[in-house]
Every structure is written in C-alpha cells, then in structure tokens.
Amino acid sequence: MEASNSSMINEAYWPLPYLYSSFTSIWIVFASCWIINTYINRHFQVNSLQWTLALVPCVKSLQLAFSFLFWYSCFYFQTCSLWMSFGVYVTGLLFETASIMSFLLIAHGYCITSERLSVPERRAMAVIGCIYYLILVGHRASIPYFSILLMLDYLLIFFVIFNHINQNLSLLREQLNYIEDEDIQEMHDAVYTKYLMFKKFKGAMHIVAIAEISIFINMDSSVESYWMKLLVREWAHFCIFLYIGWIFRSQDLAPRFSVMPTHKSKRERVVPPIYSIELDAASFKDFSSREWQIGVPTCDDRSSNDSILVVIQHPHASRPVLTKSGSEISATEAISCFKPCV
C-alpha cells in the first residue's frame, strides 16, 4: 500500500518511528542480557524457567522491530507494507499470550516448588492459553461481544494466578514454620528465598492486573493522544518484565534451592528431619541393609583412612532398622553417618 505523500499521514503519528526504534533497542538489550545471564549462570540452579521466560522479550523485540519498519517506511518511503502490519499484529498476539503463559508458569511454581508441571496442570494451561489467544484475536478484529469475553477471561486468568500464588505461599509458610520448629537451618535459606520470590511476584501481578484493566477501560482512540498512550503502555510493559526478570534471574541461590519434588503433590508435605550418627570403621564395615543406600568416601585423598561416609534411607522403607550397636533408627529419618576428614 503506497501513500502519495507524507501529508496523508496525520502529524500526530510522526513520533512513532522514534518511539518504536528506542523501545526496540531497549528490549533487544534486555533480551540479550537475560539470555547471557541465564547461559553464564546455568550451573547454579534449574534454569528451565529462565529459558522459557526469555521467549517473552524476544517476541516483544520482534514486534517493536516490525512496528518501527512499518512506520519508518510509511513516512520516509511513502510505502505502508500490509505484510509488515500483519507481522505487527501476529507478534502482538504472541507477546500477549506468551506473557500470560509465563505468569501462569511462575504462579504454578514451575522450577521453583516443582521441577515440572503435572499433566492436568499442563492441560489446564494449554486450554487457558488457547482460549485467551482466540478471544484476543476476536477482540483485535472488533467482533461484537468479544470485549466482554476478554474481560471475563482476564478475571479468570488472574483468579487462577492469584489462587496458585496463595497456595504456594501457604505451603512455603508451613515449611518455614516446620523448619524453625525443628531447627533445620540447612533448608531455611532456600525455602525463605522461594517465599520472598512469590511475595514479590504477587505484588507485581497486582500491578499487572491494574494496568491491564486500565488499558482495557481506556477506549479513547483519538489520534492526538495515541503516541502518549503508546509511550505509557510500552514503559509499563518494560518495567513490569524488568522487575519480574530480576526476581527470577539465574543466580547463585541457596545451596538447596534446586532440591524440589518432580511434581507437586496434593498430600501434605513436610521437610524431613535431618539426624546424624557416628560409626567407627568396624561397625560401618558390617553395616548392611537393603533399605539403606550406603555412600562412598568423599575425601579427595583416597589413601586416607578417615573419610566422610553417607548413609541414605531408601524412600520406600517402612520399618525401623537396628545398627550393630543396638540403637534403633526410625524409618522416617534421613541419616547422615560420617567421620570428619583430616
């Protein structure tokens, strides 16, 4: 589509190429820093969540780049590309959907309280994402009643997000209380770090909900205020994702941060107590049971007679076990048997 001269385009749109070029540069830097940080710190923690979240700034950068090229060609080449505008439309839908899905992943505790989502959780997220995408398409196409459907869908999505956040906060709070009562300091820092993450994320979700509703209610489409609303909306998107990216960045966290169940369980979960006993060499040599996993020495000096030995209970053991000295060990205890290295 060609424009005979630049005067055909309203002067209120003149700041758009500069705004889009600036935000494109900002989001590209943001996405690059996120990817580089995740790659450098990939050994510190389970970072599948960080790689997944990196998709959001990448899609946003692509959308802003398409927008810049579209408006730049309109003003300076008198050619408004239909395909470029279609790219802006599609990447905009993908960005909105990817944003909501990333919020749902974090709310479910993906790579924070569990390594993977369960099959029902994945199915529920897929259904929510598909419904949201289809309603968003209808809303952008100005189909009647889709604005009402979009508002109802937003209410459902944020209800699910806040519900799962509260569940994870409640679970982590119970674990913290248990850890403090049992004086298990080895696990306290890791659980408390996750608790703070969810508290900050909950605050960010309140801001997102208010921002989305405000944008939705503000239906004024006057040309004169278009670039100002664009500026406010883009800065809001960037600040929100910058804050969330900082909270869930790859970093050297507490030593036991990555120790988490594969899937979340509906049963009551407590942190197992940690006990330690000492065995001399003769007792340990004769110590054998199929219910225990016998560890190996951990000292670097293989010739040393003194070494750290770890005994871990089999997870399905159900009856007490007696050591050679006659002391009974409960089947619910995790035992660390050691002699210090020299």
Side-chain angles (χ1 to χ4, degrees):
M1 181 175 61
E2 295 185 358
S4 59
N5 54 68
S6 58
S7 62
M8 294 180 60
I9 303 176
N10 195 298
E11 293 182 357
Y13 290 132
W14 275 96
L16 293 183
Y18 306 101
L19 287 177
Y20 281 122
S21 63
S22 301
F23 279 110
T24 300
S25 302
I26 292 173
W27 277 94
I28 289 176
V29 172
F30 178 42
S32 301
C33 292
W34 194 322
I35 293 173
I36 293 172
N37 179 69
T38 303
Y39 179 78
I40 293 176
N41 298 322
R42 64 190 184 279
H43 303 298
F44 287 150
Q45 65 187 93
V46 178
N47 53 21
S48 299
L49 176 62
Q50 285 73 27
W51 285 120
T52 305
L53 294 180
L55 177 65
V56 178
C58 291
V59 174
K60 185 62 177 179
S61 301
L62 187 60
Q63 180 203 6
L64 292 172
F66 278 134
S67 300
F68 165 71
L69 292 175
F70 173 80
W71 287 104
Y72 187 85
S73 63
C74 282
F75 282 115
Y76 297 100
F77 296 102
Q78 287 76 48
T79 302
C80 299
S81 173
L82 177 62
W83 291 108
M84 202 68 68
S85 64
F86 183 73
V88 175
Y89 174 77
V90 173
T91 51
L93 294 176
L94 292 177
F95 168 72
E96 295 286 347
T97 306
S99 301
I100 291 297
M101 298 304 289
S102 66
F103 297 155
L104 286 170
L105 279 176
I106 297 174
H108 278 79
Y110 177 64
C111 290
I112 304 172
T113 57
S114 60
E115 291 183 10
R116 296 191 299 270
L117 299 182
S118 63
V119 174
E121 287 176 330
R122 292 198 293 267
R123 289 174 179 172
M125 283 193 57
V127 170
I128 292 175
C130 290
I131 293 175
Y132 177 76
Y133 180 83
L134 294 175
I135 293 178
L136 197 60
V137 170
H139 174 70
R140 296 287 179 85
S142 300
I143 299 177
Y145 305 111
F146 268 76
S147 297
I148 299 175
L149 291 177
L150 183 61
M151 176 60 74
L152 294 176
D153 195 37
Y154 271 131
L155 294 176
L156 173 63
I157 289 173
F158 283 111
F159 171 78
V160 172
I161 289 175
F162 285 116
N163 182 50
H164 281 283
I165 291 176
N166 290 331
Q167 288 179 1
N168 284 312
L169 285 174
S170 177
L171 171 64
L172 294 174
R173 195 179 299 113
E174 291 177 1
Q175 291 183 353
L176 281 174
N177 293 334
Y178 183 84
I179 288 172
E180 292 173 356
D181 293 340
E182 295 292 329
D183 193 22
I184 310 174
Q185 295 301 321
E186 292 85 353
M187 296 293 296
H188 183 272
D189 292 342
V191 177
Y192 187 67
T193 300
K194 297 177 183 181
Y195 180 79
L196 288 180
M197 282 183 167
F198 276 108
K199 287 287 288 184
K200 294 177 181 179
F201 179 67
K202 184 177 182 180
M205 284 298 97
H206 281 109
I207 298 175
V208 171
I210 294 173
E212 291 292 343
I213 294 175
S214 300
I215 293 173
F216 184 82
I217 292 177
N218 186 8
M219 302 299 292
D220 179 23
S221 58
S222 60
V223 176
E224 290 74 14
S225 60
Y226 179 81
W227 71 270
M228 181 59 70
K229 290 188 297 183
L230 173 67
L231 180 63
V232 173
R233 185 178 73 245
E234 294 301 331
W235 269 119
H237 284 163
F238 177 74
C239 292
I240 288 170
F241 278 97
L242 179 64
Y243 181 67
I244 293 176
W246 178 258
I247 295 174
F248 297 100
R249 69 192 184 280
S250 292
Q251 56 181 316
D252 187 6
L253 296 170
R256 299 177 185 270
F257 183 89
S258 297
V259 179
M260 63 186 78
T262 303
H263 298 289
K264 288 191 293 186
S265 174
K266 294 183 178 180
R267 295 178 297 177
E268 182 179 0
R269 293 180 297 177
V270 295
V271 179
I274 300 175
Y275 299 91
S276 63
I277 60 176
E278 294 185 5
L279 298 176
D280 55 27
S283 299
F284 184 81
K285 182 178 180 181
D286 297 332
F287 186 86
S288 63
S289 173
R290 66 181 181 85
E291 296 178 351
W292 300 88
Q293 304 287 340
I294 309 301
V296 296
T298 59
C299 287
D300 294 333
D301 185 3
R302 298 299 180 88
S303 63
S304 175
N305 293 326
D306 295 326
S307 60
I308 296 178
L309 300 169
V310 180
V311 181
I312 304 173
Q313 183 187 13
H314 191 280
H316 299 294
S318 58
R319 65 176 183 273
V321 178
L322 293 176
T323 62
K324 187 175 180 180
S325 60
S327 60
E328 183 177 289
I329 305 173
S330 171
T332 60
E333 297 173 355
I335 310 296
S336 174
C337 307
F338 64 92
K339 289 175 65 181
C341 292
V342 294

